Amino acid sequence: MTLVVAKFGGTSVADLERIKAVAGHVADCRAEGHKVVVVVSAMAGETDRLVALGAGVGDRPDPREMDVLLASGEQVSIALVAMAIQKQGFSARSFLASQIRLHTTGPHTKAKISRVEVAHLQACVNADVIPVVAGFQGVGNDGDVTTIGRGGSDTTAVAIAAALNADECRIYTDVDGVYTADPRIVEQARRLDRVICEEMLEMAALGAKVLHTRCVEYAHRYSVPLRVMSSFNRGTGTLIGEEEEGDEMERPVVSAVTHDRNEAKVTVLRVPDEPGLAYKLLGPIGNAGISVDMIVQNVGAEDLTDMTFTVTREDFPQCMEILRKSIDELSNVLAEEQIEQMRVVGDDSIAKVTVVGVGMRSHAGVATKMFETLARYGINIQMISTSEIKISVVIHEDFCELAVRALHSAFELDEPSPLAV
Amino acid sequence: MTLVVAKFGGTSVADLERIKAVAGHVADCRAEGHKVVVVVSAMAGETDRLVALGAGVGDRPDPREMDVLLASGEQVSIALVAMAIQKQGFSARSFLASQIRLHTTGPHTKAKISRVEVAHLQACVNADVIPVVAGFQGVGNDGDVTTIGRGGSDTTAVAIAAALNADECRIYTDVDGVYTADPRIVEQARRLDRVICEEMLEMAALGAKVLHTRCVEYAHRYSVPLRVMSSFNRGTGTLIGEEEEGDEMERPVVSAVTHDRNEAKVTVLRVPDEPGLAYKLLGPIGNAGISVDMIVQNVGAEDLTDMTFTVTREDFPQCMEILRKSIDELSNVLAEEQIEQMRVVGDDSIAKVTVVGVGMRSHAGVATKMFETLARYGINIQMISTSEIKISVVIHEDFCELAVRALHSAFELDEPSPLAV
């Protein structure tokens, strides 16, 4: 008998009707012959409501108390989902993170899962009781309530699947799988039956909203087969698994085209080409908790270089401010005229478009085809960044949809048109 | 330095404005030189919302899961109140029942507090950190989340005050103290500065909504001075304490007039006057979790008796049903004709009106004066029940306000009119 961990996100438990549907999916899992452990998020909108309550008390609410506040959302869900599963005739039992001892380390509101004690869950599974576990929350030092960051419930599910050595971790969500591109942009986008973990990692990092990077990383690290499927329809979804023999050769060169419109570009002009300067400029940004995505630097004339990188649009204003301050503080290492000629310029009307695929490793010419396609449509490339299995370009955001459609078509990802059959 | 446990109920934390006011009261306590431990209920309306959610999943939701669901309400409050206290410049730290190990025994949704481990709280108090504890919830066997019944937060506060050996337990609520009668009915009702514990016990049991019986019992048993005061105004409220030397003689004969309109009367007519029958009739009612309040029985003619008792109006229909079934089941101890002549009649348009006062112990004639007053207004008495310090009568509910006003005046409880000063 196989063991499945089934995670249901906020939209899947948004109201009592949806919660009853969750119980239906769990019953289906049982009918398929699986033992089931359920992980749930807070009801859609609940976390936002709680965040607003916390913000209403005053700015910068204590992170420890924010965690206590936020964790209440999942507590409501587990109770309701356990009740709904019981109505389907199964035994079910809810568990808070503190009850199954899902230990975390690190700061409040962004803790990391360090250890899951499986004794309680395993005992339930053995006794044919369906455990319903609160996602997103954990227990920290001193028994403090912690949370592991937004979207953390996916990670909770994978961590529990890994700890229980489950056969599959199903992420039920509001889409029916991973697509070759965002179907709202590309009408011919197709659902993928299977995605290689590394591809999914790139896609998650690059704006595909289906899964969080952390969750995919965790699944990859612990070899947990992950399946994304819809809680609104029936279907087999998309299986995210390890690469198998021959995958590189047999799979299409490009598996998907993703895009991200939530980035902004920051350029520091005329940076003296001296060792340690990149660190002096980027260090304070990282220290402020801002993630830098793409970084591009070229050596130019006169021992000067321009350094460009991208951050999320939310972090953009703060990032500009930090950079200007960092440059002022370079006076102990640079001459005054060197500092004076440096300039920080920003642009938040950009989009990042990426083609992803493990097939790229064994196929040449992907970059050429990508650039050629964009050129054909008159789309200017502002930045390029590549890895073994992806090529990302930054373009003006106005061309985002056009670029995605053109690349989807050029890499032969379009659904065959009915006429072609 | 004195230690005060301050409990704030649902209306006192109903919204962010009220929560900020709570922090103000806590700051006042500190300014008065007290160390403070705070206990809070769920925000007003929240428990009802959660109950409705649970009921929406289906009838008879699992009590274990109901407890998980309901306890989330207090979790939200403690986080927000802790944050609000921090904004006032104090250190504060929220605690769930599981975190301070507030142990309970007994069934879910109506557990009883069995033990409070004070190490965490005492450490906070010593370190000048204000603990904010979730009322109403506890931790049961296996670390289960439990709740201790509605209004249980008062009991939580008293239990914590007892465990910490606090100097006073303040119950902040939406009234500014205990009154000689319900001010909505008796315009001349006065706030009492001090009420004897036994009086408060009778008043709580008899319909005064200010405090729950359990909380007063607990305070009495552990000699915790209890103070009821308003979270909407400043004031000294009403101190509920132990009787002191001379109280009986010096205090007024009657301290207050209470009323309860939430009862119904059940009469079993023509019960054979045989030993054990009362038990056979009342036993199954108690087993169904229904509390019986007043019981009156008189021996009548022909070895038959009528037995009358009162239950809450919610329990009334179920109680009638159980009684009819119990009578049918008496066939193994009674003759058929004895069973056939018994009848169950009910009446839910009654009110119970009570005069309470420890002064009664040393003063004769209270009952006479009470009955005389009611007779003067033509109010028929249906049942009478007395204890050392109270006399209760059951009358038709239409006469409730009239009776309360007449008795309040007859026992000289009215606020002196401005003209009399």
Side-chain angles (χ1 to χ4, degrees):
Chain A
M1 189 167 243
T2 50
L3 176 62
V4 165
V5 174
K7 181 262 170 180
F8 297 89
T11 53
S12 303
V13 294
D15 55 38
L16 292 173
E17 279 319 300
R18 302 292 315 138
I19 284 171
K20 288 173 191 171
V22 164
H25 284 292
V26 172
D28 287 350
C29 282
R30 291 294 296 251
E32 289 166 20
H34 308 301
K35 297 233 176 196
V36 190
V37 174
V38 178
V39 175
V40 292
S41 303
M43 295 166 82
E46 184 64 7
T47 303
D48 288 332
R49 184 182 78 89
L50 295 168
V51 167
L53 274 175
V57 178
D59 14 294
R60 305 202 182 197
D62 181 12
R64 179 186 187 274
E65 301 307 335
M66 270 315 277
D67 275 353
V68 173
L69 183 62
L70 295 183
S72 71
E74 276 69 20
Q75 182 164 341
V76 170
S77 303
I78 54 170
L80 295 175
V81 169
M83 288 175 192
I85 293 173
Q86 289 167 352
K87 290 285 160 213
Q88 294 269 348
F90 300 101
S91 292
R93 203 173 168 82
S94 72
F95 288 99
L96 297 165
S98 59
Q99 292 174 319
I100 56 163
R101 311 246 165 75
L102 192 146
H103 299 278
T104 61
T105 54
H108 278 287
T109 77
K110 36 191 153 185
K112 307 264 176 238
I113 297 174
S114 56
R115 191 160 49 90
V116 185
E117 296 183 18
V118 293
H120 276 76
L121 296 178
Q122 193 65 63
C124 275
V125 170
N126 295 347
D128 227 19
V129 174
I130 299 174
V132 181
V133 182
F136 181 59
Q137 56 181 240
V139 56
N141 299 330
D142 305 326
D144 269 8
V145 176
T146 59
T147 64
I148 59 171
R150 286 205 110 169
S153 294
D154 287 355
T155 310
T156 303
V158 175
I160 287 173
L164 286 170
N165 201 15
D167 297 279
E168 191 170 290
C169 179
R170 297 186 176 174
I171 309 289
Y172 286 85
T173 179
D174 47 5
V175 296
D176 61 0
V178 179
Y179 275 72
T180 50
D182 185 337
R184 285 168 302 184
I185 291 182
V186 183
E187 212 180 321
Q188 289 87 1
R190 287 177 298 111
R191 183 176 59 74
L192 294 160
D193 283 329
R194 188 157 160 265
V195 173
I196 308 298
C197 235
E198 286 90 340
E199 294 176 333
M200 195 65 228
L201 267 178
E202 295 283 4
M203 290 163 78
L206 293 167
K209 296 284 185 321
V210 185
L211 286 172
H212 283 258
T213 314
R214 268 170 84 188
C215 151
V216 184
E217 272 173 5
Y218 219 103
H220 186 39
R221 192 182 328 151
Y222 294 99
S223 304
V224 175
L226 205 56
R227 187 182 293 279
V228 175
M229 55 204 299
S230 170
S231 70
F232 291 78
N233 309 303
R234 292 182 175 212
T236 54
T238 299
L239 181 67
I240 295 131
E242 299 304 307
E243 207 170 341
E244 286 168 16
E245 193 84 30
D247 266 341
E248 266 184 47
M249 297 303 291
E250 287 179 17
R251 289 177 66 83
V253 179
V254 165
S255 298
V257 182
T258 68
H259 68 280
D260 187 354
R261 255 192 276 241
N262 190 34
E263 295 208 345
K265 184 179 73 166
V266 179
T267 303
V268 191
L269 296 168
R270 292 186 292 280
V271 180
D273 196 15
E274 291 187 13
L277 271 191
Y279 171 71
K280 288 210 167 65
L281 291 173
L282 291 177
I285 294 170
N287 292 342
I290 296 174
S291 292
V292 170
D293 181 28
M294 292 168 77
I295 306 180
V296 173
Q297 185 183 332
N298 265 333
V299 174
E302 301 170 36
D303 288 339
L304 291 178
T305 182
D306 301 334
M307 190 168 72
T308 303
F309 55 88
T310 62
V311 296
T312 66
R313 291 196 186 174
E314 295 85 65
D315 289 335
F316 178 56
Q318 196 194 348
C319 179
M320 293 289 281
E321 197 182 309
I322 291 170
L323 263 184
R324 291 199 178 104
K325 205 179 288 174
S326 302
I327 289 173
D328 288 344
E329 285 165 6
L330 289 176
S331 55
N332 52 343
V333 287
L334 292 181
E336 205 174 313
E337 63 271 22
Q338 284 180 303
I339 293 175
E340 274 174 6
Q341 68 185 351
M342 286 169 72
R343 284 284 171 281
V344 180
V345 294
D347 179 2
D348 64 354
S349 36
I350 60 163
K352 186 171 64 178
V353 175
T354 306
V355 297
V356 181
V358 292
M360 244 178 248
R361 292 202 198 106
S362 52
H363 285 83
V366 177
T368 312
K369 190 169 190 174
M370 184 178 192
F371 304 154
E372 183 196 350
T373 305
L374 295 174
R376 189 150 23 97
Y377 286 91
I379 301 169
N380 185 44
I381 299 173
Q382 304 178 9
M383 292 172 79
I384 301 171
S385 164
T386 65
S387 79
E388 250 195 328
I389 62 163
K390 73 117 203 268
I391 305 168
S392 293
V393 296
V394 166
I395 59 176
H396 192 280
E397 66 173 346
D398 289 352
F399 293 91
C400 180
E401 289 89 345
L402 179 63
V404 172
R405 283 192 208 107
L407 293 169
H408 197 267
S409 181
F411 286 103
E412 293 165 19
L413 295 171
D414 290 356
E415 182 91 54
S417 88
L419 289 176
V421 176
Chain B
M1 189 168 243
T2 50
L3 175 62
V4 166
V5 174
K7 181 261 169 180
F8 297 89
T11 53
S12 304
V13 294
D15 54 38
L16 291 174
E17 278 320 299
R18 302 292 315 137
I19 284 172
K20 287 172 191 172
V22 164
H25 284 291
V26 172
D28 287 349
C29 282
R30 290 294 297 251
E32 289 164 21
H34 307 302
K35 298 232 176 195
V36 190
V37 175
V38 177
V39 175
V40 292
S41 304
M43 295 167 82
E46 183 63 7
T47 303
D48 288 333
R49 184 182 78 91
L50 294 168
V51 167
L53 274 177
V57 178
D59 14 295
R60 305 201 184 198
D62 181 12
R64 179 185 185 275
E65 301 306 334
M66 271 314 278
D67 275 354
V68 173
L69 183 62
L70 295 182
S72 70
E74 277 69 21
Q75 183 164 340
V76 170
S77 303
I78 54 171
L80 294 175
V81 168
M83 288 175 192
I85 293 173
Q86 288 166 351
K87 290 284 159 217
Q88 293 270 347
F90 299 100
S91 292
R93 201 172 168 82
S94 71
F95 288 99
L96 297 166
S98 59
Q99 290 174 320
I100 56 163
R101 311 245 164 76
L102 192 146
H103 298 279
T104 62
T105 54
H108 278 287
T109 78
K110 37 191 154 185
K112 308 262 175 241
I113 297 174
S114 57
R115 192 160 49 90
V116 185
E117 295 182 20
V118 293
H120 275 77
L121 294 177
Q122 194 65 63
C124 275
V125 170
N126 295 346
D128 227 20
V129 174
I130 299 174
V132 181
V133 182
F136 180 60
Q137 56 179 239
V139 55
N141 299 330
D142 305 326
D144 269 10
V145 176
T146 58
T147 66
I148 60 172
R150 285 203 111 165
S153 293
D154 288 355
T155 310
T156 303
V158 174
I160 286 173
L164 286 170
N165 202 15
D167 297 278
E168 193 170 289
C169 180
R170 296 185 176 175
I171 309 289
Y172 287 84
T173 179
D174 48 4
V175 296
D176 60 0
V178 179
Y179 275 73
T180 51
D182 185 336
R184 285 167 301 182
I185 291 183
V186 182
E187 212 182 320
Q188 290 87 0
R190 289 176 297 112
R191 183 177 57 77
L192 294 159
D193 284 329
R194 185 156 161 267
V195 173
I196 308 298
C197 235
E198 286 90 341
E199 293 176 335
M200 195 64 228
L201 266 178
E202 295 282 4
M203 289 163 78
L206 292 167
K209 297 284 186 319
V210 186
L211 287 172
H212 283 258
T213 314
R214 269 170 83 189
C215 151
V216 184
E217 272 172 4
Y218 220 103
H220 186 39
R221 192 182 329 152
Y222 294 100
S223 303
V224 175
L226 205 57
R227 188 181 293 279
V228 175
M229 54 205 299
S230 169
S231 70
F232 291 78
N233 309 303
R234 292 181 174 213
T236 53
T238 299
L239 181 68
I240 295 131
E242 300 303 306
E243 207 170 343
E244 285 168 16
E245 192 85 28
D247 266 342
E248 267 185 49
M249 298 303 292
E250 287 177 17
R251 289 177 67 82
V253 179
V254 165
S255 298
V257 183
T258 67
H259 68 280
D260 186 353
R261 256 193 276 241
N262 189 35
E263 296 208 344
K265 184 178 74 167
V266 179
T267 303
V268 190
L269 296 169
R270 291 186 292 277
V271 181
D273 196 16
E274 291 187 13
L277 272 191
Y279 170 72
K280 287 208 167 65
L281 291 173
L282 291 177
I285 294 169
N287 293 342
I290 297 174
S291 293
V292 170
D293 180 29
M294 293 169 75
I295 305 180
V296 173
Q297 184 182 337
N298 264 333
V299 174
E302 299 171 39
D303 288 339
L304 291 178
T305 182
D306 300 334
M307 192 169 74
T308 304
F309 55 89
T310 61
V311 295
T312 66
R313 291 195 187 176
E314 295 86 65
D315 290 335
F316 179 55
Q318 196 194 350
C319 178
M320 294 289 281
E321 194 181 312
I322 291 171
L323 263 184
R324 291 199 178 104
K325 205 179 290 175
S326 302
I327 290 172
D328 287 345
E329 286 164 4
L330 289 175
S331 54
N332 54 342
V333 288
L334 292 181
E336 205 175 311
E337 62 270 22
Q338 285 181 302
I339 293 174
E340 275 176 5
Q341 68 185 350
M342 287 169 73
R343 283 282 172 281
V344 182
V345 294
D347 179 2
D348 64 355
S349 37
I350 61 163
K352 186 171 64 176
V353 175
T354 306
V355 297
V356 181
V358 293
M360 243 178 249
R361 292 202 197 107
S362 52
H363 286 83
V366 176
T368 313
K369 190 170 188 174
M370 184 179 194
F371 303 154
E372 184 195 348
T373 305
L374 295 175
R376 189 148 24 95
Y377 287 89
I379 300 169
N380 186 43
I381 299 172
Q382 302 179 10
M383 292 172 79
I384 301 170
S385 164
T386 65
S387 81
E388 252 196 327
I389 62 163
K390 74 116 203 268
I391 304 170
S392 293
V393 296
V394 166
I395 59 176
H396 192 280
E397 65 172 346
D398 289 351
F399 294 92
C400 179
E401 288 90 345
L402 178 63
V404 171
R405 283 192 208 109
L407 292 169
H408 196 266
S409 180
F411 285 103
E412 294 165 17
L413 294 172
D414 289 356
E415 183 91 56
S417 88
L419 289 175
V421 176

